Structures are given as structure tokens and as C-alpha cells.
Amino acid sequence: MRGWLIVSLLFLGGVEARSQDGHVLFAPALPAGVADVTGWEVVTGEFETTRAQGAYRFYVNPKLQGIYQLMRYRIQLLAPASSLESARSSAERVVFVRHPGSRQPLLCWEREPTGTVPAWREIRPGTDEYKLEMGMVIRVLEVHRAARARANP
């Protein structure tokens, strides 16, 4: 499996993730309903596997050390395994744990261009699209975990 990953720790301060050609990978604003992440630790990475390529930003709330309360990611599927995956865009997604430790669905949004101002569209819990996105965020977390394990044997 061909793969590479760049993982770095940053502190949020107006730094935008950019691709090598300078394109911003993540939106400048988060969806309404997401906590203020100013001062949260940010873990970033980019990856490429035989099935997908993408980038992510995971946010650690300093009051809740050790968990990613906010996860942003973009994934382009190179080998979709289903018609639902084939219809999925590579737009940015945001997954937010509103109440860590409670048994509530995660909040999830997709960034979609609408006219000249892009907007966030909620992905509703229980839908096939939501189930697909929960699988996608798990894939991104697995890629991140594997990269950390390789970096810290």
C-alpha cells in the first residue's frame, strides 16, 4: 500500500492548512453550533492510500485533554466501494462532539458551495449519508493513529 502522511502539532492562530500548490484546504469559518476553538490544540495531517487521499485537522479542547472534540477533513475517494461512496463529494466535512461522554449522535456538516457564498449543510443522524460519514471519519482517525504509531514505535 502506497502511503504518506505528514503530521504536525500547531496551535490555532489564523494558520490555514494549504496544499503544496497554495490552495486552502479548509474553510475559514466553522458551522454555527460548533464551540469557539480559539486556543485549542490542532493536529493536522495529509494522507494518500490506494483508496483515498485527503487532509484533516483535529482539535483538542484544553479542558478535555486527550480527545478530538472537533474533526475537519477532506477525502477524495479513489476507489469508491458503493454507489453512495461514488456520489460523495470531496467537500470539507466537520464532525463535532457537542457533549463529550454522553450518548448523543455526533454533529456533522458538509461544506457546499451555494452561489457566491459557500454554506454548511447539516448531515442528519440516522441517514445513509450520516452513516457513510461516520465511516469516513473513522478511516481518517485510523490513518492518523497508524501514522502516530509509525512515528513513535
Side-chain angles (χ1 to χ4, degrees):
M1 179 162 111
R2 183 177 146 234
W4 57 271
L5 181 67
I6 303 165
V7 177
S8 60
L9 295 175
L10 304 173
F11 286 92
L12 188 62
V15 178
E16 288 295 327
R18 295 181 180 272
S19 64
Q20 290 180 347
D21 59 2
H23 291 100
V24 175
L25 295 173
F26 296 96
L30 291 165
V34 172
D36 178 9
V37 296
T38 303
W40 288 20
E41 183 178 349
V42 182
V43 178
T44 66
E46 296 181 13
F47 64 93
E48 185 172 347
T49 69
T50 57
R51 294 200 58 217
Q53 63 186 18
Y56 59 84
R57 294 179 101 177
F58 297 154
Y59 295 71
V60 179
N61 181 338
K63 296 177 184 173
L64 303 169
Q65 288 296 320
I67 64 168
Y68 300 125
Q69 190 174 355
L70 174 66
M71 295 156 280
R72 302 170 77 171
Y73 57 94
R74 293 180 68 111
I75 301 174
Q76 177 183 1
L77 297 174
L78 305 174
S82 68
S83 59
L84 191 57
E85 283 189 359
S86 294
R88 185 186 180 279
S89 76
S90 61
E92 179 181 352
R93 304 304 198 284
V94 169
V95 175
F96 182 60
V97 183
R98 180 175 290 178
H99 301 290
S102 69
R103 294 184 56 115
Q104 295 181 359
L106 303 176
L107 301 178
C108 185
W109 295 269
E110 174 186 24
R111 182 84 166 166
E112 59 179 16
T114 51
T116 58
V117 179
W120 291 103
R121 179 182 63 83
E122 183 180 3
I123 299 174
R124 300 230 178 247
T127 63
D128 288 342
E129 182 183 21
Y130 181 87
K131 292 172 189 171
L132 175 66
E133 282 314 312
M134 294 302 104
M136 292 294 156
V137 76
I138 288 169
R139 285 184 191 179
V140 175
L141 287 162
E142 288 172 348
V143 167
H144 170 65
R145 182 180 49 85
R148 288 187 62 156
R150 282 192 305 274
N152 302 306

